Amino acid sequence: MSETRAEEGSLNKKLPDVETLIAEADTGGRKPTGISAKVLWFVPLLWAIFQLWYASPMPYVVGVAVLNSTEVRSIHLAFAIFLAYLAFPAFKSSPRRYIPVHDWILAAVAAFCAAYIFLFYQQLSQRPGLPTTTDIVVSVIGLALILEATRRALGPPLMVVCIIFMIYTFAGPYMPDVIVHKGASLGKGMSHYYLGTEGVFGVALGVSASMVFLFVLFGSLLEKAGAGNYFIRVAFALMGHMRGGPAKAAVVSSAMTGLVSGSAIANVVTTGTFTIPLMRKVGFSAEKAGAVEVASSTNGQLTPPIMGAVAFLMVEYVGISYTDVIRHAALPALISYIALVYIVHLEAVKSGMKGLPKRSDSNLVRSIMGFLTSFVGLIVLSAIVYYGLGWMKGVFGDATIWVSAVLLILVYAGLVKYATRFPELEMDLEITELPEPGPTIKAGLYYLLPVVVLVWCLTVERLSPGLSALYATLFMLFVLLTQHALKSIFRKTGEDLVTCLRRGFSEALEGMVAGSRNMIGIGVATAAAGIVVGTITLTGVGLVMAELVEFISGGQILLMLIFTAVLSLILGMGLPTTANYIVVSSLMAPVIVTVGAEHGLIVPLVAVHMFVFYFGILADDTPPVAMAGFAAAAISGGDPIRTGIQGFIYDMRTAILPFLFIFNTELLLIGVNTWYHLLITVVTAILAMLLFAAATQGYFLTRSRVWESAALLLIAFTMFRPGFWMDQIYPPLESVPATNIYEIAESMPPEAQIRIQVRGEDLEGNKIDKVVMLPLGPKGIPGKERLMEAGLELRFEDGKAYVDNVVFGSPAERQKIDFDFEIASVQKKADRPPKQLFYIPALLLLALVIVIQRRRQAREELQPAQA
């Protein structure tokens, strides 16, 4: 008993350190007083107001402060870098209680350099590519200060990566023959990096300014209102009593927090303060408790609808709609989380762990009724909103938005009144006993309404992500302002309404300030990552990387993917989610596309971007950097390296997914067109991932023997990729003469891609022979016109097809198809039996393993009883 109390005491002592860690990781480690504190409060508030103003239609309504995207990027970076120098100390020994004079000077100079594009926009636009001496000086100082701000806010990794890429740009002629290039002058480099939109002020910073800020602000306001605490309490109420319950609750709460969080480290320190001590209490070691939190928080960055703000970057980089990004990312994230819950369960069973004691006994009927009233009620409410608004559009027309706003406020007031029937949720860091599920869920249902507004605007109204986040954020501000006053009215506590409104107003302001300070690191990171992107576009290093990977892999597809995955892990170490994706997608995604196409691997671009993104994110729990692992170890008291290693072991199920959906794009719901195909895909993917988790844990119904684990791996592989076995019997594709290309194009289904083999010579005389996939036009028009939609015009001579014209900027032009290339053949899917037939032997083998393990399990249970 004394050991347990001592252990709990040591854990509680660590909580203040965790608060410090949160500040240093997200908002800066400084807490000055006096005027400095007011500046660090007022400037972030001003930043939030500016971003809300820019995202709204108001500038165009009143004709004030109408800015283009380049000007907004400049102002956005000026705010971020100014706050970076004030909020983040230069070194560990630097003062925390005041801001030194030199940091004020650096902040002012950095803000001026960042705002240079905005301040002198007209002059710069009149001399593109012809920088003056002043332009070059400002650019050099601005880049240096961005690198230093990046080091302060995010640590050395991203800064070092940027410096290496800049050295490569300017020292090109002196590089080894493999990576040599002609280099760039200082003027050309600064024009590209700083004075245009190819580098620092490129797409990445634009997405940060137009979308990411609003989503981070929305998440911060949601947390300030108490939704984060609500999510964690609900997870514990529903799962805390199970075997290893706190660990399962950690997974679920991290998944919910990850929906709106932009950082795996922030997720760890937010939910980990609750979950890690409780995991220790029920029997998890320090390393395993931290690893569970790391794995679940890392996966939170892969979970739609936000994906650590990468969903919006992917829209720009891949060129598909936001709803398509969500659709493709949904199933991998779902099966990854389900498998992690199952891994936690297996760990608990192996160790004989129990859950936390319930507050009160419950029976089956009460559990079912609680579930029905909570979740089914929410589903019914969502259905009423969905179909109700659909009906209202036909009746109210343009007035629908105002009618629906009134209805939303009425539903919000009703849910707040319903919440007052139950006790207020506790805000303590330590959960000593399980909350009751029913009252806990019902006490915060109104927190879900802002999320409903966000998802509705994104997926139903099809508004832009920025505008959707704006409306959700405005509603969230309304919730913060009114929730205390409404609760006081409905509870009849007699509390002064003015006091309640002041409290809500204060929380709203604090939430806006916290959201802006959370954005400092992201704003600086996206600017710094622009240096990497600028280097790629300026020097063509992407082609060099492709040649290097092809040389090392020897043209072997699997080796190429493994090498690309390792490089993505290395590049992603120490980077925040947004910068991580920008770097790995810019550098490594073209490698898979280029090298893969030359060796017959043709996959949709979104699958390639998801592949590199997954491995970039896994760097957060991969030693030696493993920043999320270090954050978790600070809470658990465990060894950081061992925590990171254990977290990566738990994340092995996530690591195999990218390889699987490269070869089986159905896991990204590509080519899944019917409800029964969707059902089969989801069920088999979940079953396969559970079996893979059981195999890697060495435990299924009981401890597995080696051959049983191998059998489970074989079954999982077959369920994931049944086409592999079918390919050994029947070739997946057959070549058809190119003269039939129009007939084949006309017969293909909607949104199809035609696979063609092209031959020719490039401008340098190199022989080209490759297979490409081109998206076709809509179904129902002639094949010639469908092919024209891809930018390809053909002519036929002597029984052969040749490229007669390639439309500029078309998919065909992006695939580097040129005039006079020969269309050697068209490859279409071969007629063969359905690949799902291989599920039958896999399920029979699974049945055999289950029978054998059940018998052994029965014998093992009988032996202790006899003893």
Side-chain angles (χ1 to χ4, degrees), residues 15-37:
L15 293 180
D17 296 335
V18 172
E19 291 175 4
T20 303
L21 182 64
I22 294 172
E24 291 180 351
D26 272 358
T27 59
R30 279 205 179 115
K31 291 184 178 179
T33 56
I35 295 176
S36 297

Side-chain angles (χ1 to χ4, degrees), residues 81 200 223 274 305 370 386 398 718:
I81 202 166
V200 168
E223 179 71 28
F274 289 84
Y386 182 87
D398 293 339
T718 303

Side-chain angles (χ1 to χ4, degrees), residues 324 327 669-674 743-754 773-781 786 789 829:
D324 284 338
R327 178 165 57 89
L669 301 184
I670 296 173
V672 178
N673 300 315
T674 61
E743 291 83 355
I744 295 170
E746 188 169 348
S747 65
M748 295 185 77
E751 299 183 5
Q753 291 187 314
I754 190 167
M773 290 181 73
L774 298 176
L776 294 173
K779 179 76 172 172
I781 61 176
R786 294 192 78 183
E789 291 286 331
K829 289 184 178 180

